[in-house]
């Protein structure tokens, strides 16, 4: 008997499919978009509107108000709003699961972006003062490619998100100065790849996660907040040549108690932390002195990740780092080390040996140059020369051997890797 392969479920009308999806949790409901092109088309329906820059606020507000989490296909979850002269500017808003909203701006032209300053104020009003008929509240917001012509509209839109807890700003070309005045609800702030950003001012009371990638701007904070998760990926270097060591001081107060930290060697300072991703440079030959000195001041460190990136910014060496540190000379809690990107195996082995001497416990040290072939550090017996030999080549009592098993399960990546 021939098997019946007819997909009866997909042949149902849109209204019935939408009703079926409404009974699923939001994450599971979105996964139905991968079943077939028929299901994908249900989720990818776009509402297209044209209007003025000023009317963009109303358009987004109505778009969110009409969205029903209990019946997510009743209205489109994507809005394409054209505004500005000749409707050249486009705002694409997409509603995602777990109260997420993605907003991407484009001008339709590849011309140079005009430089601008941006003051972004988040909602400070009491929640009881802002009733809403919508069942959807934005808690996580992604802003991409905000520019000079769209900043005012975006600021007005964002000011209405009274439940916002997480904000991510990426690829805003032309942005020179950014001032964020947030409500106590904001717990997470991410700023990635804004190449012209030179000044960043953050006014926040409860921020617990701050992730930044790009040139190091002049960072100012009005309030003291203790970050648990801090990513300071400044491998591109400072925003200008006049940047002094004191300009980095405001960052120290915010990250000194971080438990998860990403830090570049050239901004070297010391902190108390449990997980460290250290991004290094080997353009002039690898030197681990700064890292070793730093680690001696990290008594709570449990996991260490060292990445050698040949493209990372390298500050001219003007000082030396002492290996004799009076406080916390041993790492009592260090368990796992992962070395990535070393092109010289001797440098890799020397660093591994240094780390074994610093640690109290036996370490699991994993190394990989290509991200695929994994090797672990093991002890080997020293060569014992015969009595009549006068010249003996020095050999380490450690070596790296390839691992056939999935050793990566014992050494998961740092929380900031892969972002």
């Amino acid at each position: 008997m021939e098997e019946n392969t007819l997909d009866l479920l997909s042949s149902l009308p849109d209204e019935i499919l939408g009703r079926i999806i409404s009974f699923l949790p939001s994450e599971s409901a979105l996964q139905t978009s991968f079943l077939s092109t028929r299901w994908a088309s249900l989720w990818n329906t776009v509402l297209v509107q044209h209007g003025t820059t000023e009317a963009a606020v109303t358009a987004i507000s109505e778009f969110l108000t009409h969205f029903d989490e209990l019946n997510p296909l009743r209205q489109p979850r994507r809005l394409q709003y054209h505004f500005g002269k000749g409707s050249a500017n486009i705002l694409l808003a997409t509603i995602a699961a777990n109260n997420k909203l993605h907003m991407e701006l484009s001008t339709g032209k590849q011309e140079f972006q005009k430089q601008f300053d941006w003051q972004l104020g988040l909602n400070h009003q009491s929640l009881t003062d802002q009733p809403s008929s919508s069942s959807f509240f934005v808690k996580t917001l992604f802003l991409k490619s905000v520019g000079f012509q769209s900043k005012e509209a975006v600021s007005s839109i964002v000011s209405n998100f009274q439940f916002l807890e997480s904000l991510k700003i990426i690829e805003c070309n032309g942005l020179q100065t950014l001032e964020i005045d947030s409500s106590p609800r904001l717990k997470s702030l991410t700023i990635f790849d804004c190449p012209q950003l030179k000044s960043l001012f953050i006014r926040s009371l409860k921020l617990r996660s701050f992730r930044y990638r790009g040139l190091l701007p002049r960072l100012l904070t009005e309030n003291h907040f203790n970050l648990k998760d801090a990513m300071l990926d400044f491998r591109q270097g400072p925003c200008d040549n006049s940047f002094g060591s004191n300009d980095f001081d405001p960052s120290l107060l915010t990250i000194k108690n971080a438990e998860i930290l990403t830090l570049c060697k050239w901004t070297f300072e010391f902190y108390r932390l449990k997980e460290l991703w250290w991004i290094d440079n080997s353009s002039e030959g690898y030197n681990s002195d700064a890292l070793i000195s730093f680690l001696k001041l990290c008594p709570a460190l449990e996991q260490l990740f060292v990445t050698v990136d040949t493209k990372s910014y390298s500050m001219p060496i003007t000082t030396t780092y002492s290996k004799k540190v009076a406080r916390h000379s041993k790492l009592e809690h260090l368990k796992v080390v992962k070395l990535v990107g070393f092109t010289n195996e001797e440098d890799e082995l020397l660093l591994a040996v240094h780390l074994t001497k610093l640690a109290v416990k036996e370490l699991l040290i994993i190394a990989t140059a290509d991200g695929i072939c994994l090797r672990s550090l093991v002890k080997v017996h020293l060569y014992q020369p015969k009595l009549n030999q006068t010249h003996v080549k020095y050999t380490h009592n450690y070596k790296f051997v390839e691992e056939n098993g999935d050793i990566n399960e014992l050494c998961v990546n740092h929380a900031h890797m892969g972002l």
Side-chain angles (χ1 to χ4, degrees), residues 39-69:
W39 287 86
S41 63
L42 294 174
W43 289 101
N44 293 329
T45 302
V46 181
L47 176 63
V48 180
Q49 294 183 355
H50 293 75
T52 63
T53 303
E54 295 75 17
V57 180
T58 303
I60 290 292
S61 178
E62 292 180 350
F63 170 64
L64 296 177
T65 299
H66 292 154
F67 181 77
D68 185 358
E69 282 190 296

Side-chain angles (χ1 to χ4, degrees), residues 230-234 248 255 261-271 273 276-280 294 416:
M231 176 179 179
L232 303 181
D233 188 345
F234 301 136
F248 190 63
I255 64 177
L261 175 66
T262 290
L263 184 69
C264 290
K265 174 182 175 180
W266 74 273
T267 54
F268 175 78
E269 287 289 347
F270 60 91
Y271 315 92
L273 53 99
L276 171 65
W277 180 19
W278 181 276
I279 301 172
D280 216 332
F294 179 90
H416 297 159

Side-chain angles (χ1 to χ4, degrees), residues 208 227-230 255 257-261 272-276:
R208 298 293 289 156
L227 295 172
K228 181 179 180 180
D229 181 322
I255 64 177
N257 293 322
E259 295 180 8
I260 303 176
L261 175 66
R272 295 173 60 93
L273 53 99
K274 296 180 180 180
E275 299 178 26
L276 171 65

Side-chain angles (χ1 to χ4, degrees), residues 100-302:
K100 295 187 181 78
L101 177 66
H102 297 250
M103 292 175 56
E104 181 175 355
L105 287 300
S106 63
T107 61
K109 299 179 181 179
Q110 299 300 320
E111 61 186 18
F112 177 76
Q113 290 285 344
K114 185 175 181 180
Q115 296 182 343
F116 65 100
D117 300 332
W118 189 14
Q119 184 174 358
L120 185 60
L122 306 183
N123 196 293
H124 286 272
Q125 300 183 31
S126 171
L127 301 183
T128 57
D129 297 335
Q130 295 189 352
S132 174
S133 58
S134 175
S135 63
F136 181 83
F137 298 101
V138 178
K139 293 184 178 180
T140 300
L141 176 64
F142 296 81
L143 297 176
K144 182 178 180 180
S145 302
V146 177
F148 173 78
Q149 296 181 339
S150 58
K151 65 169 185 175
E152 295 299 333
V154 172
S155 295
S156 298
I157 293 170
V158 175
S159 66
N160 293 322
F161 297 156
Q162 61 201 39
F163 293 95
L164 192 63
E165 298 175 356
S166 178
L167 173 63
K168 186 173 184 178
I169 300 172
I170 62 174
E171 299 178 14
C172 295
N173 292 321
L175 178 61
Q176 284 192 312
T177 302
L178 176 59
E179 180 178 342
I180 297 178
D181 186 3
S182 75
S183 70
R185 278 186 169 269
L186 189 69
K187 300 296 190 300
S188 175
L189 174 63
T190 299
I191 301 173
F192 280 176
D193 308 326
C194 299
Q196 288 81 39
L197 187 59
K198 295 183 178 180
S199 179
L200 175 61
F201 180 68
I202 302 174
R203 185 182 292 111
S204 177
L205 292 172
K206 302 293 185 180
L207 202 63
R208 298 293 289 156
S209 174
F210 176 60
R211 298 177 177 182
Y212 187 94
R213 183 173 66 204
L215 293 169
L216 171 60
R218 299 185 184 277
L219 178 61
L220 299 175
T221 58
E222 180 176 285
N223 306 108
H224 176 70
F225 46 87
N226 289 319
L227 295 172
K228 181 179 180 180
D229 181 322
M231 176 179 179
L232 303 181
D233 188 345
F234 301 136
R235 72 180 80 185
Q236 298 178 36
C239 61
D240 58 61
N241 294 330
S242 64
F243 207 99
S245 59
N246 292 336
D247 293 315
F248 190 63
D249 289 346
S251 303
L252 304 183
L253 292 177
T254 65
I255 64 177
K256 67 177 183 178
N257 293 322
E259 295 180 8
I260 303 176
L261 175 66
T262 290
L263 184 69
C264 290
K265 174 182 175 180
W266 74 273
T267 54
F268 175 78
E269 287 289 347
F270 60 91
Y271 315 92
R272 295 173 60 93
L273 53 99
K274 296 180 180 180
E275 299 178 26
L276 171 65
W277 180 19
W278 181 276
I279 301 172
D280 216 332
N281 180 284
S282 60
S283 59
E284 299 178 2
Y286 184 74
N287 188 321
S288 64
D289 289 355
L291 172 61
I292 298 300
S293 297
F294 179 90
L295 293 177
K296 291 180 179 180
L297 298 172
C298 303
L301 191 66
E302 297 176 358

